[in-house]
Amino acid sequence: MTITLITGANKGIGHETARQLLALGHVVYVGARDAGRGEKAAAALGARFVRLDVTDDASVAAALAEIDAAEGRLDVLVNNAGILAHGAVDGPTALRAFDTNAVGVVRVTEAALPLLRRSANPVVVTVSSSAGSFWAVTNPERPEYGLPLALYSASKAAATMLTVQYAKSEPGIRFNAVEPGTTATDLTAAFGVGRPAEESARVVVRLATLGPDGPTGTFQDENGVVPW
């Protein structure tokens, strides 16, 4: 039995990732900041709900303590929660973007590490973005080149770097970051772009189901390793 926690899983890619991992036999904890929405999403999926706000240390600690008490370990962590933070580029917006997209990864990962170390096959996937790839945003042939998302891009670059650094400091756990593809979610609604979450979730699921000999410290999309 594989015990999995997905943050921000009440909608979008996180919700669809939960659905696909449940179909593979995982016990999935749907982490969500809003208890009402999270409980409703978990019930619809047949998953378990845990209240988890990645910007709140106490919330994160309580969520992982709840999973620890129920399961005694964690096999897969998917750091999925994120915000676009488009519009105004100012201090408060920057703090909010980094607090969710980068510091949130640290909060949840640090709280999860003791549980992950008890797993026979621990895996961490961080949903990042090629908008945070220096290679992509400086390449005129890439769509990221023209995206006006300074704070989102910078915070996702940080999330990818955190993934690489965790892979180095925790060699017994496979850490990988993923670009799931431009997806039609609440996050991209302002741009009117994207493919179904079901397709993008498959990219996350592939990295979430790695075996012990799988890669670590990589940034990948559906085609393999992405330069960054």
Side-chain angles (χ1 to χ4, degrees):
M1 186 182 300
T2 302
I3 311 299
T4 298
L5 167 63
I6 306 172
T7 66
N10 60 298
K11 59 183 179 180
I13 293 172
H15 187 265
E16 185 55 39
T17 298
R19 184 191 308 280
Q20 293 182 23
L21 289 175
L22 282 163
L24 293 174
H26 289 224
V27 172
V28 175
Y29 282 81
V30 166
R33 181 176 54 187
D34 185 295
R37 292 176 183 172
E39 288 172 351
K40 184 177 179 181
L45 288 167
R48 301 176 187 183
F49 169 70
V50 62
R51 188 182 178 280
L52 197 162
D53 179 350
V54 301
T55 67
D56 184 286
D57 290 279
S59 171
V60 171
L64 272 298
E66 185 176 331
I67 294 171
D68 189 6
E71 311 293 348
R73 72 175 196 280
L74 184 66
D75 301 301
V76 178
L77 167 62
V78 180
N79 287 309
N80 170 74
I83 61 172
L84 195 58
H86 67 298
V89 179
D90 54 26
T93 310
L95 287 170
R96 195 161 58 250
F98 275 84
D99 197 24
T100 304
N101 296 348
V103 183
V105 170
V106 176
R107 286 192 185 96
V108 177
T109 303
E110 288 295 321
L113 280 174
L115 283 73
L116 288 162
R117 291 181 186 129
R118 295 180 208 146
S119 171
N121 183 35
V123 174
V124 178
V125 182
T126 293
V127 178
S128 189
S129 172
S130 53
S133 159
F134 290 84
W135 165 79
V137 300
T138 56
N139 183 346
E141 296 180 2
R142 293 282 301 193
E144 298 86 353
Y145 182 82
L147 282 180
L149 297 173
L151 300 177
Y152 177 77
S153 295
S155 61
K156 287 299 189 177
T160 302
M161 178 59 77
L162 286 167
T163 301
V164 173
Q165 294 297 333
Y166 272 121
K168 292 168 68 176
S169 64
E170 295 286 339
I173 304 173
R174 274 159 311 295
F175 282 85
N176 293 284
V178 61
E179 157 57 67
T182 304
T183 312
T185 65
D186 288 355
L187 214 63
T188 59
F191 297 95
V193 296
R195 65 187 183 179
E198 178 183 358
E199 295 179 31
S200 296
R202 291 192 195 112
V203 191
V204 182
V205 168
R206 177 172 61 83
L207 288 175
T209 54
L210 290 174
D213 58 347
T216 190
T218 69
F219 176 41
Q220 299 191 34
D221 65 9
E222 61 197 303
N223 299 313
V225 175
V226 179
W228 65 281

